[in-house]
Amino acid sequence: RRTMAPRRWLLLLFLAAGVLQPLAQPDSRGFISIDCGLAEEASYVDDTTTLAYVSDSGFTDAGTNYNISAEYLGFSRRGHNLRSFPDGVRNCYTLRSLVSGLKYLIRASFLYGNYDGLNRPPASFDLHIGVNFWKTVNISTWGADQGNTAVVEAIVVVPDDLLQVCLVNTGGGTPFISSLDLRPLKRTFYPQATAEQGLVMLARFNAAPVNKTGTIRYPDDPHDRLWYPWFDATIWAEISTTERVYGVGDDLFEVPWKVMQTAIVTRNASENIWFGWESLDAEPRDDDPSRPGYIAILHFAELQLLNASNGELRQFYINLNDELAYPTGFTPEHLISNAIYDTKPSRHSGYNLSINATANSTLPPILNAVEMYYVIPTTNLGTDSQDAPAAMAIKAKYGVRKNWMGDPCFPRTMAWDGLNCSYAAANPPRITSINLSSSGLNSDISSSFAHLKALQYLDLSNNNLTGSIPDALSQLPSLTVIDLSGNQLNGSIPSGLLKRIQDGSLDLRHGNNPNLCTDGNSCQLAAKRKSKLAIYVAVPVLVIMVIVSVALLVFFLRRRNQQPG
């Protein structure tokens, strides 16, 4: 059952340095569709959505691939395999080539499927979007009849051109993931999602669908949201139309018209449409800012052509916990999609939404679709925007494993081994110290160290570094100690570093580098000696070559003259 996919360290290294393989970037729609645990460089087109799914090998360099047990293979192909992360506290996927400041929908799915043969799904583990908490995934509470499946989704503003989705081991079992999707959204969509807060999906329902078992998504929804069927024939009646339902000019949600073509209604005008849910945290009092805030979005469209001259009217109130959530009676427009929604999150221990007809209404209330979210703060500051990519490039160049996953400095409890960071209030963390001593580093000294402007201490001792010492290190204003001893460096110490050493602002430790010239005069003398030696060798060789060439020329000319005419 276990498929040991080799870890292509070099592939991720190129990724971290900004070089992408074709499959490890968004497609022409801006979509990223990852089948986690799929064989390296493999891809396929999903039969239902026609979307191309790719292996996750270009997005993470950790974890182990597994196949799920045979009895669960009847589910979606994307769930046939997964990636498990038995090692490390935090393991991350890096999604690149994004648009800074744009809103994205992020969706992750988890199908346990007894992949480990233990028949014991992990109790829980956490998900982070970048440096912000997303959700605790508790597999044991999700669909035991479907192989313990979970789907989580969020809408967030991405501040940079990359995004990391991390699985965090909280001691409740080994984290794993089956698929990871990213979908761009218009900047105007879901105005409740801002740079300060994201939306985590609680539910997204398609009321009274024609197909009672199907989920509407791409291509019917160009943004590939999942609209789950929602109906109960024992409570609600259903109405539908075959005509297309259109959105208004400044549509903030663009609900698919196939979703809006159906709706639930009460069986008579005197009954209410009612549904509700409880807060994730029922302990704090109402309106406590520490309580998760919730947002509901209700979608309406009139599907019947009403005869107003005969007094037909569909009008209703929308109430939250027995208080008006919309100030007046609402009348949906014929074949036009409209939404009633919270602009700010409400905080209560429980939520009871009801839709009831006004006194003037002759028809029962209607509901075509509903979305429910709770908000998460996205205000944590990750490592400085110049320091973080520099650290990732250093990781890429040397293939550093350790715990170098996710943000280098945040949270403090998961900061990269060998790094020290400064944490100033209201400012991003800065990398102040790097210790990669005896880490098996090869190649030359990365130029990315020179981008760490707050660096004070750099220890690269006892590795196998070659090449010269970059003079750009002298431009780091806070750098006071560089330890390069025990390597294979060559050349001379750059003039900028020599000046820093001479004025006492820098301590450069360079012992046990046999090919490194540490004194300017001796380096010049050695260079002259090498130059003279080259001349002493080159001149005799050149003379011999000339003599041999002349001798060969004379030989061939004499043979030619001796041949009979």
Side-chain angles (χ1 to χ4, degrees):
R1 188 174 304 128
R2 179 175 176 177
T3 57
M4 288 294 293
R7 298 178 180 177
R8 295 202 45 196
W9 291 101
L10 289 178
L11 177 60
L12 186 77
L13 304 189
F14 287 130
L15 283 171
V19 181
L20 286 160
Q21 63 170 356
L23 296 181
Q25 57 186 337
D27 63 16
S28 60
R29 293 170 291 262
F31 288 12
I32 295 178
S33 307
I34 304 172
D35 187 337
C36 303
L38 190 65
E40 289 188 38
E41 301 182 3
S43 64
Y44 62 87
V45 175
D46 182 75
D47 294 336
T48 303
T49 63
T50 71
L51 294 174
Y53 279 80
V54 301
S55 166
D56 60 353
S57 61
F59 300 90
T60 185
D61 60 353
T64 304
N65 294 354
Y66 286 89
N67 294 329
I68 64 173
S69 297
E71 60 265 33
Y72 299 106
L73 292 179
F75 299 103
S76 167
R77 178 174 177 180
R78 293 186 305 280
H80 287 186
N81 37 257
L82 57 82
R83 186 176 289 261
S84 172
F85 298 95
D87 301 320
V89 174
R90 176 175 60 174
N91 291 278
C92 302
Y93 285 80
T94 301
L95 312 180
R96 297 180 178 275
S97 298
L98 308 187
V99 178
S100 176
L102 193 64
K103 290 177 185 175
Y104 285 88
L105 181 151
I106 307 163
R107 181 168 53 243
S109 69
F110 310 85
L111 173 57
Y112 170 64
N114 196 26
Y115 78 89
D116 52 8
L118 301 176
N119 201 27
R120 187 176 66 249
S124 65
F125 52 87
D126 286 351
L127 293 179
H128 289 189
I129 298 176
V131 295
N132 294 289
F133 175 80
W134 176 3
K135 185 179 178 66
T136 295
V137 179
N138 191 338
I139 301 297
S140 61
T141 63
W142 290 74
D145 58 332
Q146 295 185 358
N148 299 103
T149 305
V151 177
V152 298
E153 188 179 295
I155 297 172
V156 297
V157 175
V158 174
D160 301 306
D161 62 355
L162 64 82
L163 177 72
Q164 291 189 312
V165 176
C166 301
L167 293 83
V168 179
N169 190 330
T170 56
T174 300
F176 72 92
I177 185 169
S178 300
S179 69
L180 181 62
D181 297 332
L182 179 135
R183 309 289 185 248
L185 301 175
K186 294 180 180 179
R187 294 179 189 272
T188 56
F189 275 18
Y190 296 95
Q192 304 92 337
T194 66
E196 289 74 34
Q197 70 178 26
L199 304 178
V200 177
M201 188 184 75
L202 184 66
R204 185 185 294 115
F205 290 135
N206 172 21
V210 175
N211 182 352
K212 303 301 185 189
T213 60
T215 299
I216 289 182
R217 58 177 302 186
Y218 188 90
D220 294 319
D221 185 340
H223 311 291
D224 195 31
R225 292 164 293 186
L226 302 183
W227 298 87
Y228 296 98
W230 188 44
F231 60 94
D232 189 338
T234 65
I235 302 176
W236 302 313
E238 301 179 1
I239 60 174
S240 64
T241 181
T242 58
E243 297 185 68
R244 183 159 184 159
V245 179
Y246 294 89
V248 295
D250 296 325
D251 194 341
L252 301 178
F253 307 104
E254 291 188 4
V255 180
W257 58 270
K258 285 191 175 182
V259 169
M260 298 302 295
Q261 282 183 316
T262 62
I264 57 172
V265 295
T266 58
R267 297 191 179 277
N268 58 67
S270 63
E271 295 180 345
N272 299 343
I273 295 176
W274 177 93
F275 59 94
W277 68 94
E278 292 184 354
S279 171
L280 293 177
D281 183 359
E283 293 303 321
R285 67 184 186 279
D286 283 3
D287 299 321
D288 189 326
S290 65
R291 180 192 295 282
Y294 286 82
I295 287 173
I297 306 169
L298 309 180
H299 301 285
F300 303 99
E302 178 59 70
L303 303 182
Q304 297 174 325
L305 186 59
L306 306 185
N307 191 337
S309 61
N310 288 341
E312 286 187 321
L313 174 67
R314 193 189 310 275
Q315 188 181 68
F316 45 81
Y317 294 115
I318 302 168
N319 306 282
L320 173 62
N321 293 348
D322 298 323
E323 295 184 0
L324 282 176
Y326 189 73
T328 62
F330 179 76
T331 301
E333 298 178 74
H334 183 237
L335 300 182
I336 298 296
S337 178
N338 281 285
I340 303 296
Y341 55 89
D342 295 315
T343 56
K344 295 181 179 180
S346 57
R347 291 176 167 84
H348 304 284
S349 58
Y351 297 80
N352 296 312
L353 269 169
S354 62
I355 305 172
N356 62 286
T358 65
N360 296 327
S361 182
T362 62
L363 295 172
I366 187 175
L367 179 61
N368 304 69
V370 60
E371 299 178 76
M372 293 172 283
Y373 299 90
Y374 63 88
V375 299
I376 54 171
T378 55
T379 53
N380 286 335
L381 294 176
T383 303
D384 176 79
S385 60
Q386 190 173 14
D387 287 8
M392 294 178 69
I394 292 166
K395 173 193 172 181
K397 183 178 183 68
Y398 300 120
V400 181
R401 302 191 181 187
K402 297 189 176 183
N403 71 333
W404 283 33
M405 298 288 287
D407 188 86
C409 295
F410 196 90
R412 292 193 191 199
T413 55
M414 300 180 198
W416 291 4
D417 289 344
L419 266 63
N420 287 330
C421 305
S422 62
Y423 300 88
N427 290 313
R430 301 299 305 267
I431 297 174
T432 58
S433 171
I434 296 181
N435 185 348
L436 288 173
S437 175
S438 303
S439 297
L441 308 187
N442 293 293
S443 188
D444 56 1
I445 297 176
S446 172
S447 59
S448 296
F449 286 111
H451 297 299
L452 301 172
K453 301 302 182 182
L455 193 64
Q456 301 173 12
Y457 179 89
L458 176 60
D459 188 351
L460 301 177
S461 63
N462 300 314
N463 288 292
N464 193 35
L465 297 173
T466 58
S468 59
I469 303 174
D471 196 28
L473 294 177
S474 66
Q475 302 303 312
L476 297 179
S478 302
L479 189 60
T480 58
V481 176
I482 306 176
D483 192 344
L484 302 175
S485 57
N487 284 285
Q488 300 297 320
L489 300 170
N490 55 44
S492 58
I493 298 176
S495 59
L497 288 176
L498 283 174
K499 291 179 181 179
R500 293 280 307 275
I501 294 171
Q502 291 168 358
D503 66 21
S505 64
L506 178 66
D507 178 12
L508 176 63
R509 302 166 187 174
H510 49 70
N512 296 322
N513 281 278
N515 299 317
L516 182 66
C517 292
T518 58
D519 180 85
N521 293 330
S522 64
C523 289
Q524 293 175 9
L525 180 60
K528 290 180 180 179
R529 288 174 179 172
K530 290 181 179 179
S531 177
K532 289 181 179 180
L533 178 61
I535 293 174
Y536 293 153
V537 173
V539 170
V541 169
L542 182 60
V543 170
I544 292 172
M545 289 177 64
V546 170
I547 292 173
V548 170
S549 299
V550 170
L552 288 173
L553 180 61
V554 171
F555 173 75
F556 285 116
L557 288 174
R558 291 186 63 181
R559 288 198 59 179
R560 182 177 180 183
N561 292 333
Q562 291 174 359
Q563 291 178 358

